[in-house]
Amino acid sequence: MKHLFSWSVFDRFSDFPGEGDLQHRLSAFGLDGFELFTLFEKVDPYYAVPEVVSVHLPYSLDWHSAWEGRRYDGENDDPRYFSFGRTREDMVANLRHGIDCASVLHPAYGVLHAGNTDMRQVLCRKHESDDLAIISDFAEMVNRVVAGYPGGEPPFRLSFENLWWEGLKLRSPSEWRVLEDKLEFDNWGFTLDTGHMMNTCDDAFDEESAIDAVMSIIDRYPKDMKDRIRHMHLQLSTTAEYRRTFVPRRRAEGEEWEHFAHDAFERANGIDQHRPYSSRRVNEIVDAIMPDYLTHELMGFISDDKYGDLRQQRALLPRVY
């Protein structure tokens, strides 16, 4: 199992702490490389180094509304990042372009969110969308993207990540079965984000209860489903109380889109904490999956605190599996 650290094309390798070359500095943290967040732009050759092992593809907030032909009144953001595009044809072309941009790095895999954030519902406590229907539409979209590649296979493995919004949550084998039935290519798998899963659990109040909640879900996975989970994002999120006490609201008549979106992003940041683990019980989660790649995905800007969190979490896990 390789230990990776989340990085992005907005950051420079010189910002990673320590002495010596990049590989030496990574090794001092017990790391094997980076998972690099990319954009809908060609990746700078600066990042084409052996230490960049994998990529996290750009994502959109609410692609499903665009897929169904629904538009937001007042939404002016770049449609690639909000919905992959404004038409199905544009969405497919833009997502394929994002994959092409990252493929110059020859990554071992590329993470792609398989969930959706309906901005009409994001400030509500409960969402009304059908998870399996969204997963089915996601499979249709990705099939169209991949069909444009030679042999009908992507240039690298696509690894679908769970969210706590509607769509892929990885809480039930039924989600995996939809993708097994619908996807028309073989080179795909899952990235299990532990914190995102905790954000779906009403009893994840602290680290111990959050680990218990995740383990109760994983224990229900059939072997074939586990075999698809080859990558993991390791982070802690204990927001059950925050979610329970959240006061929902809908967009007010005449309210500016930017004001509503600001509140929505504030809520998302309040839910998704990306904190480091402090309990060695985190090994129970890792041992239950045994991923090929484990990415330490921690919140915050480059700082001593962030690297202190990385040291804390990395020290809980064995060097070799």
PDB file of all heavy atoms in Angstrom, residues 233-264:
ATOM      1  N   HIS A 233      -9.385   7.799   0.747  1.00  0.00           N
ATOM      2  CA  HIS A 233      -9.056   9.120   1.291  1.00  0.00           C
ATOM      3  C   HIS A 233      -9.261   9.039   2.788  1.00  0.00           C
ATOM      4  O   HIS A 233     -10.374   8.774   3.252  1.00  0.00           O
ATOM      5  CB  HIS A 233      -9.962  10.193   0.690  1.00  0.00           C
ATOM      6  CG  HIS A 233      -9.602  10.575  -0.709  1.00  0.00           C
ATOM      7  ND1 HIS A 233     -10.379  11.413  -1.468  1.00  0.00           N
ATOM      8  CD2 HIS A 233      -8.535  10.250  -1.482  1.00  0.00           C
ATOM      9  CE1 HIS A 233      -9.821  11.588  -2.649  1.00  0.00           C
ATOM     10  NE2 HIS A 233      -8.702  10.881  -2.678  1.00  0.00           N
ATOM     11  N   LEU A 234      -8.206   9.273   3.542  1.00  0.00           N
ATOM     12  CA  LEU A 234      -8.277   9.116   4.988  1.00  0.00           C
ATOM     13  C   LEU A 234      -8.405  10.489   5.641  1.00  0.00           C
ATOM     14  O   LEU A 234      -7.506  11.328   5.555  1.00  0.00           O
ATOM     15  CB  LEU A 234      -7.027   8.400   5.505  1.00  0.00           C
ATOM     16  CG  LEU A 234      -7.144   7.780   6.884  1.00  0.00           C
ATOM     17  CD1 LEU A 234      -8.155   6.635   6.883  1.00  0.00           C
ATOM     18  CD2 LEU A 234      -5.785   7.276   7.378  1.00  0.00           C
ATOM     19  N   GLN A 235      -9.554  10.706   6.284  1.00  0.00           N
ATOM     20  CA  GLN A 235      -9.814  11.940   7.012  1.00  0.00           C
ATOM     21  C   GLN A 235     -10.953  11.684   7.983  1.00  0.00           C
ATOM     22  O   GLN A 235     -11.736  10.751   7.817  1.00  0.00           O
ATOM     23  CB  GLN A 235     -10.167  13.086   6.048  1.00  0.00           C
ATOM     24  CG  GLN A 235     -11.314  12.804   5.098  1.00  0.00           C
ATOM     25  CD  GLN A 235     -12.511  13.727   5.319  1.00  0.00           C
ATOM     26  OE1 GLN A 235     -12.686  14.304   6.382  1.00  0.00           O
ATOM     27  NE2 GLN A 235     -13.336  13.864   4.296  1.00  0.00           N
ATOM     28  N   LEU A 236     -11.027  12.515   9.014  1.00  0.00           N
ATOM     29  CA  LEU A 236     -12.020  12.366  10.069  1.00  0.00           C
ATOM     30  C   LEU A 236     -13.014  13.521  10.021  1.00  0.00           C
ATOM     31  O   LEU A 236     -12.613  14.681   9.888  1.00  0.00           O
ATOM     32  CB  LEU A 236     -11.330  12.350  11.438  1.00  0.00           C
ATOM     33  CG  LEU A 236     -12.229  12.309  12.683  1.00  0.00           C
ATOM     34  CD1 LEU A 236     -12.945  10.970  12.776  1.00  0.00           C
ATOM     35  CD2 LEU A 236     -11.401  12.572  13.942  1.00  0.00           C
ATOM     36  N   SER A 237     -14.300  13.194  10.129  1.00  0.00           N
ATOM     37  CA  SER A 237     -15.343  14.221  10.139  1.00  0.00           C
ATOM     38  C   SER A 237     -16.435  13.778  11.104  1.00  0.00           C
ATOM     39  O   SER A 237     -17.105  12.782  10.865  1.00  0.00           O
ATOM     40  CB  SER A 237     -15.910  14.411   8.726  1.00  0.00           C
ATOM     41  OG  SER A 237     -16.684  15.574   8.628  1.00  0.00           O
ATOM     42  N   THR A 238     -16.594  14.519  12.191  1.00  0.00           N
ATOM     43  CA  THR A 238     -17.563  14.129  13.231  1.00  0.00           C
ATOM     44  C   THR A 238     -18.580  15.261  13.393  1.00  0.00           C
ATOM     45  O   THR A 238     -18.484  16.067  14.315  1.00  0.00           O
ATOM     46  CB  THR A 238     -16.848  13.853  14.564  1.00  0.00           C
ATOM     47  OG1 THR A 238     -16.077  15.003  14.935  1.00  0.00           O
ATOM     48  CG2 THR A 238     -15.930  12.653  14.436  1.00  0.00           C
ATOM     49  N   THR A 239     -19.545  15.289  12.489  1.00  0.00           N
ATOM     50  CA  THR A 239     -20.451  16.440  12.426  1.00  0.00           C
ATOM     51  C   THR A 239     -21.911  16.063  12.632  1.00  0.00           C
ATOM     52  O   THR A 239     -22.811  16.794  12.210  1.00  0.00           O
ATOM     53  CB  THR A 239     -20.304  17.141  11.059  1.00  0.00           C
ATOM     54  OG1 THR A 239     -20.566  16.189  10.013  1.00  0.00           O
ATOM     55  CG2 THR A 239     -18.913  17.720  10.882  1.00  0.00           C
ATOM     56  N   ALA A 240     -22.156  14.941  13.275  1.00  0.00           N
ATOM     57  CA  ALA A 240     -23.545  14.515  13.464  1.00  0.00           C
ATOM     58  C   ALA A 240     -24.352  15.570  14.226  1.00  0.00           C
ATOM     59  O   ALA A 240     -25.507  15.849  13.884  1.00  0.00           O
ATOM     60  CB  ALA A 240     -23.594  13.174  14.189  1.00  0.00           C
ATOM     61  N   GLU A 241     -23.764  16.157  15.259  1.00  0.00           N
ATOM     62  CA  GLU A 241     -24.485  17.169  16.047  1.00  0.00           C
ATOM     63  C   GLU A 241     -24.738  18.423  15.216  1.00  0.00           C
ATOM     64  O   GLU A 241     -25.827  19.011  15.278  1.00  0.00           O
ATOM     65  CB  GLU A 241     -23.689  17.512  17.302  1.00  0.00           C
ATOM     66  CG  GLU A 241     -24.368  18.515  18.227  1.00  0.00           C
ATOM     67  CD  GLU A 241     -25.651  17.978  18.861  1.00  0.00           C
ATOM     68  OE1 GLU A 241     -25.863  16.740  18.829  1.00  0.00           O
ATOM     69  OE2 GLU A 241     -26.432  18.796  19.384  1.00  0.00           O
ATOM     70  N   TYR A 242     -23.753  18.851  14.445  1.00  0.00           N
ATOM     71  CA  TYR A 242     -23.914  20.019  13.577  1.00  0.00           C
ATOM     72  C   TYR A 242     -25.038  19.789  12.581  1.00  0.00           C
ATOM     73  O   TYR A 242     -25.891  20.663  12.357  1.00  0.00           O
ATOM     74  CB  TYR A 242     -22.600  20.301  12.836  1.00  0.00           C
ATOM     75  CG  TYR A 242     -22.701  21.364  11.772  1.00  0.00           C
ATOM     76  CD1 TYR A 242     -22.637  22.718  12.103  1.00  0.00           C
ATOM     77  CD2 TYR A 242     -22.850  21.022  10.427  1.00  0.00           C
ATOM     78  CE1 TYR A 242     -22.726  23.693  11.122  1.00  0.00           C
ATOM     79  CE2 TYR A 242     -22.941  21.991   9.446  1.00  0.00           C
ATOM     80  CZ  TYR A 242     -22.880  23.317   9.790  1.00  0.00           C
ATOM     81  OH  TYR A 242     -22.970  24.291   8.811  1.00  0.00           O
ATOM     82  N   ARG A 243     -25.069  18.613  12.009  1.00  0.00           N
ATOM     83  CA  ARG A 243     -26.116  18.317  11.024  1.00  0.00           C
ATOM     84  C   ARG A 243     -27.478  18.191  11.693  1.00  0.00           C
ATOM     85  O   ARG A 243     -28.499  18.601  11.125  1.00  0.00           O
ATOM     86  CB  ARG A 243     -25.757  17.040  10.260  1.00  0.00           C
ATOM     87  CG  ARG A 243     -24.589  17.233   9.293  1.00  0.00           C
ATOM     88  CD  ARG A 243     -24.233  15.961   8.542  1.00  0.00           C
ATOM     89  NE  ARG A 243     -23.404  15.070   9.333  1.00  0.00           N
ATOM     90  CZ  ARG A 243     -23.758  13.863   9.748  1.00  0.00           C
ATOM     91  NH1 ARG A 243     -24.952  13.378   9.440  1.00  0.00           N
ATOM     92  NH2 ARG A 243     -22.923  13.117  10.451  1.00  0.00           N
ATOM     93  N   ARG A 244     -27.497  17.630  12.896  1.00  0.00           N
ATOM     94  CA  ARG A 244     -28.767  17.439  13.590  1.00  0.00           C
ATOM     95  C   ARG A 244     -29.408  18.766  13.977  1.00  0.00           C
ATOM     96  O   ARG A 244     -30.640  18.909  13.962  1.00  0.00           O
ATOM     97  CB  ARG A 244     -28.540  16.590  14.844  1.00  0.00           C
ATOM     98  CG  ARG A 244     -29.821  16.194  15.570  1.00  0.00           C
ATOM     99  CD  ARG A 244     -29.524  15.446  16.867  1.00  0.00           C
ATOM    100  NE  ARG A 244     -28.893  16.313  17.857  1.00  0.00           N
ATOM    101  CZ  ARG A 244     -29.574  17.156  18.644  1.00  0.00           C
ATOM    102  NH1 ARG A 244     -30.893  17.249  18.537  1.00  0.00           N
ATOM    103  NH2 ARG A 244     -28.938  17.907  19.525  1.00  0.00           N
ATOM    104  N   THR A 245     -28.586  19.736  14.342  1.00  0.00           N
ATOM    105  CA  THR A 245     -29.115  21.008  14.845  1.00  0.00           C
ATOM    106  C   THR A 245     -29.190  22.085  13.769  1.00  0.00           C
ATOM    107  O   THR A 245     -29.577  23.215  14.050  1.00  0.00           O
ATOM    108  CB  THR A 245     -28.239  21.519  16.002  1.00  0.00           C
ATOM    109  OG1 THR A 245     -26.888  21.684  15.537  1.00  0.00           O
ATOM    110  CG2 THR A 245     -28.255  20.538  17.163  1.00  0.00           C
ATOM    111  N   PHE A 246     -28.808  21.722  12.534  1.00  0.00           N
ATOM    112  CA  PHE A 246     -28.823  22.715  11.453  1.00  0.00           C
ATOM    113  C   PHE A 246     -30.246  23.199  11.193  1.00  0.00           C
ATOM    114  O   PHE A 246     -31.189  22.404  11.126  1.00  0.00           O
ATOM    115  CB  PHE A 246     -28.232  22.097  10.179  1.00  0.00           C
ATOM    116  CG  PHE A 246     -28.265  23.017   8.992  1.00  0.00           C
ATOM    117  CD1 PHE A 246     -27.342  24.043   8.868  1.00  0.00           C
ATOM    118  CD2 PHE A 246     -29.225  22.858   8.003  1.00  0.00           C
ATOM    119  CE1 PHE A 246     -27.368  24.890   7.776  1.00  0.00           C
ATOM    120  CE2 PHE A 246     -29.261  23.704   6.911  1.00  0.00           C
ATOM    121  CZ  PHE A 246     -28.334  24.718   6.799  1.00  0.00           C
ATOM    122  N   VAL A 247     -30.396  24.504  11.039  1.00  0.00           N
ATOM    123  CA  VAL A 247     -31.703  25.093  10.746  1.00  0.00           C
ATOM    124  C   VAL A 247     -31.821  25.267   9.232  1.00  0.00           C
ATOM    125  O   VAL A 247     -31.114  26.082   8.634  1.00  0.00           O
ATOM    126  CB  VAL A 247     -31.875  26.453  11.444  1.00  0.00           C
ATOM    127  CG1 VAL A 247     -33.226  27.065  11.085  1.00  0.00           C
ATOM    128  CG2 VAL A 247     -31.731  26.289  12.951  1.00  0.00           C
ATOM    129  N   PRO A 248     -32.673  24.481   8.586  1.00  0.00           N
ATOM    130  CA  PRO A 248     -32.747  24.535   7.128  1.00  0.00           C
ATOM    131  C   PRO A 248     -33.425  25.813   6.636  1.00  0.00           C
ATOM    132  O   PRO A 248     -34.182  26.463   7.355  1.00  0.00           O
ATOM    133  CB  PRO A 248     -33.585  23.306   6.777  1.00  0.00           C
ATOM    134  CG  PRO A 248     -34.432  23.083   7.974  1.00  0.00           C
ATOM    135  CD  PRO A 248     -33.599  23.489   9.157  1.00  0.00           C
ATOM    136  N   ARG A 249     -33.131  26.155   5.410  1.00  0.00           N
ATOM    137  CA  ARG A 249     -33.837  27.263   4.765  1.00  0.00           C
ATOM    138  C   ARG A 249     -33.784  27.083   3.258  1.00  0.00           C
ATOM    139  O   ARG A 249     -32.905  26.396   2.725  1.00  0.00           O
ATOM    140  CB  ARG A 249     -33.233  28.608   5.144  1.00  0.00           C
ATOM    141  CG  ARG A 249     -31.936  29.008   4.406  1.00  0.00           C
ATOM    142  CD  ARG A 249     -31.593  30.452   4.715  1.00  0.00           C
ATOM    143  NE  ARG A 249     -30.417  30.941   4.014  1.00  0.00           N
ATOM    144  CZ  ARG A 249     -30.434  31.462   2.796  1.00  0.00           C
ATOM    145  NH1 ARG A 249     -31.581  31.513   2.112  1.00  0.00           N
ATOM    146  NH2 ARG A 249     -29.335  31.923   2.240  1.00  0.00           N
ATOM    147  N   ARG A 250     -34.694  27.669   2.564  1.00  0.00           N
ATOM    148  CA  ARG A 250     -34.695  27.658   1.106  1.00  0.00           C
ATOM    149  C   ARG A 250     -34.367  29.057   0.598  1.00  0.00           C
ATOM    150  O   ARG A 250     -34.426  30.037   1.349  1.00  0.00           O
ATOM    151  CB  ARG A 250     -36.047  27.194   0.560  1.00  0.00           C
ATOM    152  CG  ARG A 250     -36.325  25.715   0.860  1.00  0.00           C
ATOM    153  CD  ARG A 250     -37.539  25.208   0.079  1.00  0.00           C
ATOM    154  NE  ARG A 250     -37.779  23.805   0.354  1.00  0.00           N
ATOM    155  CZ  ARG A 250     -37.198  22.805  -0.307  1.00  0.00           C
ATOM    156  NH1 ARG A 250     -36.349  23.076  -1.275  1.00  0.00           N
ATOM    157  NH2 ARG A 250     -37.457  21.554  -0.004  1.00  0.00           N
ATOM    158  N   ARG A 251     -34.004  29.127  -0.646  1.00  0.00           N
ATOM    159  CA  ARG A 251     -33.680  30.421  -1.236  1.00  0.00           C
ATOM    160  C   ARG A 251     -34.905  31.325  -1.204  1.00  0.00           C
ATOM    161  O   ARG A 251     -35.987  30.952  -1.655  1.00  0.00           O
ATOM    162  CB  ARG A 251     -33.193  30.220  -2.667  1.00  0.00           C
ATOM    163  CG  ARG A 251     -32.668  31.502  -3.324  1.00  0.00           C
ATOM    164  CD  ARG A 251     -32.194  31.199  -4.721  1.00  0.00           C
ATOM    165  NE  ARG A 251     -31.753  32.398  -5.408  1.00  0.00           N
ATOM    166  CZ  ARG A 251     -31.521  32.456  -6.709  1.00  0.00           C
ATOM    167  NH1 ARG A 251     -31.695  31.372  -7.455  1.00  0.00           N
ATOM    168  NH2 ARG A 251     -31.121  33.578  -7.269  1.00  0.00           N
ATOM    169  N   ALA A 252     -34.728  32.508  -0.649  1.00  0.00           N
ATOM    170  CA  ALA A 252     -35.836  33.448  -0.531  1.00  0.00           C
ATOM    171  C   ALA A 252     -36.154  34.078  -1.888  1.00  0.00           C
ATOM    172  O   ALA A 252     -35.284  34.208  -2.752  1.00  0.00           O
ATOM    173  CB  ALA A 252     -35.487  34.531   0.477  1.00  0.00           C
ATOM    174  N   GLU A 253     -37.388  34.454  -2.064  1.00  0.00           N
ATOM    175  CA  GLU A 253     -37.804  35.098  -3.309  1.00  0.00           C
ATOM    176  C   GLU A 253     -37.000  36.379  -3.507  1.00  0.00           C
ATOM    177  O   GLU A 253     -36.913  37.236  -2.624  1.00  0.00           O
ATOM    178  CB  GLU A 253     -39.296  35.411  -3.264  1.00  0.00           C
ATOM    179  CG  GLU A 253     -39.823  36.014  -4.557  1.00  0.00           C
ATOM    180  CD  GLU A 253     -41.329  36.244  -4.531  1.00  0.00           C
ATOM    181  OE1 GLU A 253     -41.969  35.813  -3.540  1.00  0.00           O
ATOM    182  OE2 GLU A 253     -41.843  36.844  -5.471  1.00  0.00           O
ATOM    183  N   GLY A 254     -36.388  36.492  -4.659  1.00  0.00           N
ATOM    184  CA  GLY A 254     -35.597  37.665  -4.980  1.00  0.00           C
ATOM    185  C   GLY A 254     -34.193  37.669  -4.414  1.00  0.00           C
ATOM    186  O   GLY A 254     -33.423  38.603  -4.659  1.00  0.00           O
ATOM    187  N   GLU A 255     -33.825  36.640  -3.660  1.00  0.00           N
ATOM    188  CA  GLU A 255     -32.489  36.600  -3.066  1.00  0.00           C
ATOM    189  C   GLU A 255     -31.420  36.439  -4.137  1.00  0.00           C
ATOM    190  O   GLU A 255     -31.555  35.633  -5.065  1.00  0.00           O
ATOM    191  CB  GLU A 255     -32.403  35.438  -2.072  1.00  0.00           C
ATOM    192  CG  GLU A 255     -31.047  35.316  -1.392  1.00  0.00           C
ATOM    193  CD  GLU A 255     -30.990  34.150  -0.424  1.00  0.00           C
ATOM    194  OE1 GLU A 255     -31.956  33.347  -0.392  1.00  0.00           O
ATOM    195  OE2 GLU A 255     -29.991  34.040   0.306  1.00  0.00           O
ATOM    196  N   GLU A 256     -30.363  37.196  -4.033  1.00  0.00           N
ATOM    197  CA  GLU A 256     -29.269  37.095  -4.988  1.00  0.00           C
ATOM    198  C   GLU A 256     -28.621  35.710  -4.913  1.00  0.00           C
ATOM    199  O   GLU A 256     -28.437  35.156  -3.819  1.00  0.00           O
ATOM    200  CB  GLU A 256     -28.204  38.165  -4.708  1.00  0.00           C
ATOM    201  CG  GLU A 256     -28.659  39.582  -4.985  1.00  0.00           C
ATOM    202  CD  GLU A 256     -28.894  39.825  -6.459  1.00  0.00           C
ATOM    203  OE1 GLU A 256     -28.219  39.177  -7.286  1.00  0.00           O
ATOM    204  OE2 GLU A 256     -29.761  40.658  -6.788  1.00  0.00           O
ATOM    205  N   TRP A 257     -28.293  35.185  -6.083  1.00  0.00           N
ATOM    206  CA  TRP A 257     -27.686  33.856  -6.154  1.00  0.00           C
ATOM    207  C   TRP A 257     -26.415  33.781  -5.324  1.00  0.00           C
ATOM    208  O   TRP A 257     -26.172  32.815  -4.603  1.00  0.00           O
ATOM    209  CB  TRP A 257     -27.390  33.493  -7.601  1.00  0.00           C
ATOM    210  CG  TRP A 257     -26.534  32.261  -7.721  1.00  0.00           C
ATOM    211  CD1 TRP A 257     -25.200  32.206  -7.919  1.00  0.00           C
ATOM    212  CD2 TRP A 257     -26.979  30.908  -7.579  1.00  0.00           C
ATOM    213  NE1 TRP A 257     -24.769  30.902  -7.926  1.00  0.00           N
ATOM    214  CE2 TRP A 257     -25.848  30.079  -7.730  1.00  0.00           C
ATOM    215  CE3 TRP A 257     -28.213  30.320  -7.362  1.00  0.00           C
ATOM    216  CZ2 TRP A 257     -25.915  28.708  -7.658  1.00  0.00           C
ATOM    217  CZ3 TRP A 257     -28.269  28.938  -7.293  1.00  0.00           C
ATOM    218  CH2 TRP A 257     -27.138  28.159  -7.444  1.00  0.00           C
ATOM    219  N   GLU A 258     -25.586  34.823  -5.381  1.00  0.00           N
ATOM    220  CA  GLU A 258     -24.307  34.795  -4.689  1.00  0.00           C
ATOM    221  C   GLU A 258     -24.493  34.668  -3.181  1.00  0.00           C
ATOM    222  O   GLU A 258     -23.716  33.994  -2.502  1.00  0.00           O
ATOM    223  CB  GLU A 258     -23.499  36.058  -5.024  1.00  0.00           C
ATOM    224  CG  GLU A 258     -22.964  36.115  -6.453  1.00  0.00           C
ATOM    225  CD  GLU A 258     -24.043  36.483  -7.471  1.00  0.00           C
ATOM    226  OE1 GLU A 258     -25.158  36.870  -7.047  1.00  0.00           O
ATOM    227  OE2 GLU A 258     -23.767  36.374  -8.675  1.00  0.00           O
ATOM    228  N   HIS A 259     -25.520  35.304  -2.634  1.00  0.00           N
ATOM    229  CA  HIS A 259     -25.769  35.238  -1.194  1.00  0.00           C
ATOM    230  C   HIS A 259     -26.205  33.832  -0.790  1.00  0.00           C
ATOM    231  O   HIS A 259     -25.740  33.273   0.207  1.00  0.00           O
ATOM    232  CB  HIS A 259     -26.838  36.264  -0.801  1.00  0.00           C
ATOM    233  CG  HIS A 259     -27.113  36.295   0.669  1.00  0.00           C
ATOM    234  ND1 HIS A 259     -28.232  35.714   1.234  1.00  0.00           N
ATOM    235  CD2 HIS A 259     -26.394  36.811   1.702  1.00  0.00           C
ATOM    236  CE1 HIS A 259     -28.204  35.885   2.541  1.00  0.00           C
ATOM    237  NE2 HIS A 259     -27.103  36.543   2.855  1.00  0.00           N
ATOM    238  N   PHE A 260     -27.084  33.244  -1.589  1.00  0.00           N
ATOM    239  CA  PHE A 260     -27.544  31.883  -1.316  1.00  0.00           C
ATOM    240  C   PHE A 260     -26.375  30.903  -1.431  1.00  0.00           C
ATOM    241  O   PHE A 260     -26.199  30.032  -0.574  1.00  0.00           O
ATOM    242  CB  PHE A 260     -28.658  31.511  -2.296  1.00  0.00           C
ATOM    243  CG  PHE A 260     -29.157  30.103  -2.150  1.00  0.00           C
ATOM    244  CD1 PHE A 260     -30.044  29.770  -1.140  1.00  0.00           C
ATOM    245  CD2 PHE A 260     -28.752  29.109  -3.036  1.00  0.00           C
ATOM    246  CE1 PHE A 260     -30.514  28.459  -0.998  1.00  0.00           C
ATOM    247  CE2 PHE A 260     -29.215  27.807  -2.906  1.00  0.00           C
ATOM    248  CZ  PHE A 260     -30.101  27.491  -1.889  1.00  0.00           C
ATOM    249  N   ALA A 261     -25.569  31.037  -2.496  1.00  0.00           N
ATOM    250  CA  ALA A 261     -24.446  30.126  -2.700  1.00  0.00           C
ATOM    251  C   ALA A 261     -23.428  30.247  -1.572  1.00  0.00           C
ATOM    252  O   ALA A 261     -22.836  29.249  -1.151  1.00  0.00           O
ATOM    253  CB  ALA A 261     -23.781  30.412  -4.053  1.00  0.00           C
ATOM    254  N   HIS A 262     -23.216  31.457  -1.051  1.00  0.00           N
ATOM    255  CA  HIS A 262     -22.283  31.645   0.064  1.00  0.00           C
ATOM    256  C   HIS A 262     -22.734  30.823   1.271  1.00  0.00           C
ATOM    257  O   HIS A 262     -21.932  30.132   1.909  1.00  0.00           O
ATOM    258  CB  HIS A 262     -22.208  33.126   0.434  1.00  0.00           C
ATOM    259  CG  HIS A 262     -21.374  33.396   1.649  1.00  0.00           C
ATOM    260  ND1 HIS A 262     -21.905  33.442   2.926  1.00  0.00           N
ATOM    261  CD2 HIS A 262     -20.025  33.608   1.797  1.00  0.00           C
ATOM    262  CE1 HIS A 262     -20.948  33.672   3.788  1.00  0.00           C
ATOM    263  NE2 HIS A 262     -19.798  33.787   3.141  1.00  0.00           N
ATOM    264  N   ASP A 263     -24.025  30.887   1.599  1.00  0.00           N
ATOM    265  CA  ASP A 263     -24.534  30.112   2.730  1.00  0.00           C
ATOM    266  C   ASP A 263     -24.389  28.615   2.479  1.00  0.00           C
ATOM    267  O   ASP A 263     -24.086  27.842   3.397  1.00  0.00           O
ATOM    268  CB  ASP A 263     -26.008  30.454   2.973  1.00  0.00           C
ATOM    269  CG  ASP A 263     -26.188  31.813   3.639  1.00  0.00           C
ATOM    270  OD1 ASP A 263     -25.161  32.464   3.939  1.00  0.00           O
ATOM    271  OD2 ASP A 263     -27.341  32.219   3.840  1.00  0.00           O
ATOM    272  N   ALA A 264     -24.608  28.209   1.218  1.00  0.00           N
ATOM    273  CA  ALA A 264     -24.490  26.794   0.884  1.00  0.00           C
ATOM    274  C   ALA A 264     -23.056  26.304   1.059  1.00  0.00           C
ATOM    275  O   ALA A 264     -22.813  25.229   1.624  1.00  0.00           O
ATOM    276  CB  ALA A 264     -24.958  26.559  -0.550  1.00  0.00           C
TER     277      ALA A 264
END
